[in-house]
Amino acid sequence: MDTIPVKVCIGTTCYLLGASKLVDLENRLPAAWKGRVDVSGCTCLDLCDANGVCNAPFVKVGETVVPHATPATVVAAIADALGEPIPPEALA
Amino acid sequence: MTNGAEIIRRELMIRLVRAFDAGNLAETIDRIPVEMRPRDAPFSRSSVWHDRAVLKYRIMALLGFSCENETDEARTLRSYLEEMREAPPPRGDPITVCSAGCDGCRDRAFMVTDNCRGCFARPCEWNCPKKAVTVTRGRSTIDESACVRCGKCAQVCPYKAIVEVSVPCEAACPVGAIRKDAHGHARIDFAKCIFCGACFRACPFSAVMEKSQLVQLLGALRAGEKLTAVVAPAAAWQFPGSVEQLFAAIRALGFDDVIEVARGAEMTTEHEAREFVERQKEGKGIMTTSCCPAWVNLVRKHLPAFLPHVSDTPSPMAYAARIAKERRPDNRVVFVGPCIAKRDEALRRENVDFVLSFEELGAVFAARKIAPVALEPAKLDRPAREDARNYAKSCGVTASVLEGLKGELPPDFKLDSRFVDGLDRKSVAMIRLYAAGKLPGNFLEVMSCKGGCVGGPCSLHS
Ligand code: SF4
Ligand code: SF4
Ligand code: FES
């Protein structure tokens, strides 16, 4: 099965507007997702310009952009991409 | 936890800096609230118009004005900007309550919710010491005039049907300085306020704002003024990347020189250790640290008799500003940190001209698309000592001073160091006991913020 790329923007805009809470995302993911999800960081997804700033922080799960990303919404988007229910331990 | 109030405040800062950089701040400043809350867009308060009004007052505070002092509600933000050109707004008290943003939260009370099943056991009724609870027609009710707000009923309900509501700012303030006024809006009694920032953090509407020097500082940088940034040790925990990369980012904003406040902390440590030894030899009793300005304010305003026990050693910021002036005597000095009370301390230090919070610094980076982690690290003349960098964490100060003490005290001397991690009503009550000589100890470290400056009100991780 292909791995799902998850790109967490830690550019300063996203970081300031909430991505600081996403830096430990990888550790929150359930063991069952090991090897199926590939989390990486980047310093700007170029989505924060003009009015985009009001939707930061951004995370890309596959090709899907998650605006106003929080640990909970990103986990939900990954579960969606995998076609699986949200594992409760990922929200703890 | 993601906090929406904090996010709006930061988004506003980013937009303000963007407008400044575009060179049309005066022309666009009154549009910012409209851009953030266009007609038909989702709103957070009663309407977009309410949201816009609140945003306007927030910008006023970001320009450095007290919302309390507004006399003409029709004044434009542009006119405040113009006023700033003539003279910067008076700094004074570093925070302000934006009353349009204050929800006038309901007074502390215990409320019965729909979870109540009017059960047979009715422990709420049986256990209320004032007989204020009665269960009639399958539902518990509390007689507010009899209720003494002890919370017993809430504790004993098996359905968690009784909840406590409180005024977050009032509940958070360690010294009772913020209260609702006759109009039901929070107001700060500045004679009591110690600028700890607890209310700033606690308000879910972010109605308490800092009076910022951000726009003035941007103006100074644009005018090519030579500025030295002195950066608090908590910096190491703020942005992705190293301290050296953060310093490179600060230089990229046009700062002429950047210095670690931790270098000042090294001097504070040395001096404080010597002072402690002297005081012990003279039998002066307990000595407390003095680096946390909110703590010093607490003593000054609420425990004046304890003041002689506060160390006279200058704070790390004061020493760092001295270093800054020695290196570049003509530069103006900007303290960068996580602290509201430092704005107040800076007023009393001749060498500190501006205070910039980490939040504000982050907003400037964001507006200019600077990510410290992507930069080539700056070279530090000499990195500060590890123990001095740890000043930002609670206990760091004590550990640091102890390090400096080794060997200086007679062998029979027993150091008995105590530590207060965060000011709240409880710890203030305990400090009163120290001040009254009712608790043991000869060295008392107090940090107003839990976990130390790293958890400061304007830290990115508060
Ligand atoms: S917490 Fe205090 S300042 Fe904030 S809305 Fe409530 S009453 Fe107003
Ligand atoms: S003492 Fe602290 S919590 Fe109380 S009003 Fe002042 S800043 Fe707010
Ligand atoms: S900083 Fe995240 S999209 Fe630009």
Side-chain angles (χ1 to χ4, degrees), chain B residues 171-204:
Chain B
C173 179
V175 293
I178 191 163
R179 286 255 176 281
K180 290 199 293 171
D181 65 10
H183 303 285
H185 294 134
R187 218 170 224 283
I188 296 170
D189 177 353
F190 288 111
K192 286 188 180 167
C193 175
I194 61 172
F195 310 124
C196 66
C199 54
F200 170 87
R201 255 187 243 269
C203 174

Side-chain angles (χ1 to χ4, degrees), chain A residues 10-13 15-18 20-21 43-44 46 48-51 53-54 56-57 69-71, chain B residues 1-2 6-7 10-11 14-15 18 238-240 359 362-363 365-366 369-373 460-461:
Chain A
I10 52 162
T12 310
T13 301
Y15 193 77
L16 211 61
L17 302 184
S20 59
K21 275 99 184 169
T43 54
C44 190
D46 289 320
C48 59
D49 291 330
N51 272 320
V53 59
C54 64
T70 65
Chain B
M1 181 192 77
T2 302
E6 174 184 285
I7 287 176
R10 293 180 183 172
E11 184 193 331
I14 296 173
R15 286 181 184 263
R18 280 183 183 172
Q238 300 298 316
F239 298 94
E359 202 172 71
F365 289 156
K369 288 202 165 246
I370 296 172
V373 66
L460 299 186
H461 300 291

Side-chain angles (χ1 to χ4, degrees), chain B residues 168-376:
Chain B
C169 59
E170 288 185 7
C173 179
V175 293
I178 191 163
R179 286 255 176 281
K180 290 199 293 171
D181 65 10
H183 303 285
H185 294 134
R187 218 170 224 283
I188 296 170
D189 177 353
F190 288 111
K192 286 188 180 167
C193 175
I194 61 172
F195 310 124
C196 66
C199 54
F200 170 87
R201 255 187 243 269
C203 174
F205 289 90
S206 190
V208 181
M209 292 281 293
E210 279 191 281
K211 278 158 59 184
S212 172
Q213 291 183 292
L214 178 61
V215 175
Q216 271 176 68
L217 181 68
L218 292 174
L221 284 169
R222 180 183 280 166
E225 263 196 60
K226 296 242 183 269
L227 300 173
T228 300
V230 297
V231 184
W237 292 270
Q238 300 298 316
F239 298 94
S242 64
V243 172
E244 287 79 4
Q245 287 175 313
L246 177 61
F247 279 27
I250 293 174
R251 278 186 182 276
L253 301 182
F255 280 87
D256 181 45
D257 198 10
V258 190
I259 295 171
E260 282 185 81
V261 170
R263 300 260 316 265
E266 292 174 356
M267 297 162 81
T268 300
T269 303
E270 242 165 73
H271 195 280
E272 198 161 79
R274 253 180 281 130
E275 186 187 358
F276 180 72
V277 173
E278 285 312 306
R279 281 172 177 254
Q280 291 309 315
K281 283 185 190 153
E282 289 165 23
K284 284 191 171 159
I286 192 166
M287 181 182 101
T288 87
T289 49
S290 62
C291 52
C292 170
W295 155 239
V296 178
N297 284 339
L298 176 74
V299 181
R300 238 198 243 120
K301 294 187 178 179
H302 300 272
L303 299 160
F306 198 42
L307 206 51
H309 293 272
V310 177
S311 152
D312 295 318
T313 300
S315 69
M317 173 175 87
Y319 276 125
R322 232 179 258 179
I323 302 176
K325 285 287 187 188
E326 278 162 20
R327 282 164 62 109
R328 315 263 165 110
D330 298 330
N331 284 15
R332 291 214 282 168
V333 175
V334 184
F335 173 83
V336 185
C339 178
I340 293 176
K342 280 285 182 220
R343 291 190 192 268
D344 175 62
E345 186 195 329
L347 288 177
R348 274 175 275 115
R349 307 262 178 228
E350 49 184 340
N351 282 344
V352 185
D353 304 283
F354 292 98
V355 174
L356 186 73
S357 72
F358 284 130
E359 202 172 71
E360 292 165 340
L361 178 68
V364 184
F365 289 156
R368 299 190 181 164
K369 288 202 165 246
I370 296 172
V373 66
L375 299 184
E376 194 60 41

